[in-house]
Amino acid sequence: MKQSLILTILVTLTSFQRASAIPFQVRADLDSCLNSAGLTSIYPSSSGYASAAQAYNLRFQYSPAALVYPTSENAVAAAVKCAGSLNVPVSARSGGHSYAAYGLGGQDGALVVDLSKLKAITINSDQTATIQTGNRLGDVALTLYNNGGRAMPHGTSPEVGVGGHLGCGGFGLDSRMWGLFLDQALSARVVLSNGTIVAASPSENSDLFWAIRGAAPSFGIVTEYKFKTYPAPSSNIIFSYSYWSTPQATASSIFSAFQTFAQTSAPPTLGIQAILASAGAPGQLYVSLTGVFYGTKSDFNNAINPLLTKIPKPQGTSVVTYGWLDSLVQLGGQSLNTSTTPDGTDTFFAKSLMVPQEAPMTSAAIQSFFNYLGNQGTSSDTVSLTTLYSMHCEP
Ligand SMILES: Cc1cc2nc3c(=O)[nH]c(=O)nc-3n(C[C@H](O)[C@H](O)[C@H](O)COP(=O)(O)OP(=O)(O)OC[C@H]3O[C@@H](n4cnc5c(N)ncnc54)[C@H](O)[C@@H]3O)c2cc1C
């Protein structure tokens, strides 16, 4: 499997507001069309509008023309037809965790088709799973495991939605072993922009099937996917090797060793990331090499040893074995059942840089990056996450 490194840099910034933009008559016609189609909708004048239209990332605040909550694939199609007939932009919202509020349309005046009422999950006799796109990752993991000990690769946050996660990638610490979330899709059902409903798979509308696995928001609203699943590993070792405060030159050498390890000896059963941050004082950095090994303790020791022999003794070490669901709870930091936890929010700016395996970061680039993090980084709330074979997806 090809590997890449990615840097995701999160910086806290302030929020900003945008004004609403949809002509009065278009809004009235849209309301009327949605009502005639029997769709439950929330309008700007509705009492629940402000919370329904709140973005996960509070830097973004858009004003949708309306939000609809279809309970069937046909109802999704009816909503899309209403918007299409009035030239109102449409945006699907699955888990609402887009970094830049694209689930709200990424602009004012969109019709948001909220999929949260499409939550069916069927485990099929051939161990595939048919999952509607209103589901969140935590609930999918729970249902798969509780119905036959099955699992699939995906990101760590239980609240992220199936629709957005698959629509543009979906990386988890188990992705070096099983692939991205989108690699698991066997077929899909899609509502196109003219409101027609089609099936997509390698043998039916294959070009659409190719396109939705990476750019779904540009091609339609996927209402359900059929997925491959895997037997959940019984031994999941969550580890971290941390340096609370280390000179930036040492941090650079740790990172170089991490990168070489990624290229040469890390097995697919090892998901690992480097978390880098300012340690508060100029020239001092926090570094943590952390992840999951899927297998036995002795296999883990053999797998991690080539890295440990190349880095200084960590200031903190933790190695704990979990069952599958407990490992997901540890990684996600919350319950997997999202119906019992209120949606969180955050305020951040994120930027990603991909580093291909054939052209890893040079030592000059590593030193320059660490110099920046150890100096300018001390005056801002900056964290860098570097993951083997990673992708944080956005349209
Ligand atoms: C706290 C947090 C943790 C994360 N962790 C990871 C991680 O570990 N790994 C990783 O790879 N990514 C991660 N992400 C990124 C996440 O996968 C993407 O932001 C993803 O797009 C969110 O999906 P969503 O359904 O929750 O978001 P939404 O805002 O609902 O949707 C995101 C985009 O997909 C479109 N969309 C949603 N549903 C559909 C559909 N059914 N058909 C077509 N288009 C659709 C929306 O219109 C929007 O453009 C994380 C994000 C957050 C906020």
Side-chain angles (χ1 to χ4, degrees):
M1 182 181 296
K2 210 161 195 191
Q3 297 169 7
S4 301
L5 305 180
I6 190 171
L7 305 182
T8 296
I9 302 168
L10 304 176
V11 183
T12 304
L13 294 174
T14 50
S15 62
F16 62 90
Q17 298 269 327
R18 298 274 276 266
S20 176
I22 179 167
F24 176 79
Q25 191 53 50
V26 174
R27 186 189 299 278
D29 290 346
L30 181 65
D31 294 359
S32 158
C33 185
L34 296 173
N35 284 337
S36 310
L39 286 155
T40 307
S41 313
I42 293 182
Y43 304 107
S45 56
S46 309
S47 59
Y49 179 81
S51 62
Q54 180 172 280
Y56 173 79
N57 185 351
L58 298 176
R59 285 187 66 227
F60 298 92
Q61 187 54 63
Y62 296 114
S63 301
L67 301 97
V68 283
Y69 296 80
T71 54
S72 69
E73 189 177 69
N74 285 334
V76 172
V80 170
K81 277 185 190 153
C82 283
S85 67
L86 296 162
N87 279 329
V88 171
V90 178
S91 184
R93 181 170 67 178
S94 173
H97 274 51
S98 166
Y99 278 15
Y102 289 118
L104 292 170
Q107 61 181 336
D108 292 329
L111 173 66
V112 174
V113 180
D114 184 292
L115 301 165
S116 59
K117 295 199 182 311
L118 297 182
K119 284 205 192 291
I121 301 179
T122 308
I123 317 284
N124 306 309
S125 55
D126 60 358
Q127 307 279 35
T128 60
T130 305
I131 301 177
Q132 286 190 313
T133 48
N135 281 290
R136 308 288 186 102
L137 300 180
D139 304 297
V140 169
L142 267 181
T143 306
L144 290 184
Y145 187 79
N146 290 335
N147 290 275
R150 306 298 290 182
M152 54 186 298
H154 51 71
T156 51
S157 172
E159 291 176 2
V160 164
V162 165
H165 200 55
L166 192 140
C168 41
F171 165 80
L173 285 161
D174 42 16
S175 288
R176 301 187 72 249
M177 178 168 65
W178 287 333
L180 295 175
F181 193 52
L182 66 73
D183 293 323
Q184 316 313 319
L186 298 167
S187 63
R189 290 186 62 79
V190 189
V191 176
L192 301 177
S193 60
N194 62 4
T196 54
I197 301 169
V198 297
S201 72
S203 57
E204 205 173 355
N205 296 311
S206 56
D207 49 354
L208 177 65
F209 186 59
W210 177 81
I212 58 173
R213 289 172 300 146
S218 302
F219 290 90
I221 298 182
V222 182
T223 55
E224 70 177 37
Y225 288 100
K226 188 173 181 189
F227 288 112
K228 267 185 264 181
T229 68
Y230 302 82
S234 55
S235 171
N236 307 276
I237 299 171
I238 300 188
F239 61 88
S240 64
Y241 301 101
S242 304
Y243 305 83
W244 317 125
S245 180
T246 194
Q248 71 191 45
T250 311
S252 302
S253 71
I254 295 168
F255 186 81
S256 294
F258 167 77
Q259 182 171 257
T260 305
F261 175 66
Q263 288 179 294
T264 55
S265 33
T269 44
L270 186 80
I272 185 169
Q273 58 193 1
I275 298 172
L276 315 168
S278 160
Q284 290 292 119
L285 291 177
Y286 166 86
V287 180
S288 184
L289 306 180
T290 174
V292 188
F293 180 77
Y294 303 96
T296 64
K297 190 76 187 300
S298 66
D299 285 346
F300 169 65
N301 290 337
N302 290 335
I304 201 76
N305 211 33
L307 175 63
L308 296 184
T309 53
K310 296 281 188 263
I311 57 176
K313 186 171 185 299
Q315 292 160 351
T317 295
S318 169
V319 179
V320 182
T321 305
Y322 294 94
W324 176 247
L325 289 183
D326 285 342
S327 76
L328 298 184
V329 172
Q330 287 297 318
L331 295 173
Q334 65 179 83
S335 161
L336 299 177
N337 181 348
T338 65
S339 64
T340 56
T341 44
D343 264 355
T345 55
D346 204 345
T347 306
F348 62 96
F349 170 77
K351 184 165 184 169
S352 298
L353 303 171
M354 296 295 294
V355 183
Q357 185 172 359
E358 312 74 62
M361 284 178 80
T362 61
S363 46
I366 292 173
Q367 276 166 27
S368 167
F369 179 69
F370 278 69
N371 188 39
Y372 185 84
L373 203 55
N375 291 288
Q376 287 92 330
T378 55
S379 57
S380 74
D381 179 10
T382 307
V383 173
S384 167
L385 178 67
T386 306
T387 313
L388 302 192
Y389 180 46
S390 169
M391 153 194 265
H392 273 242
C393 58
E394 283 299 334

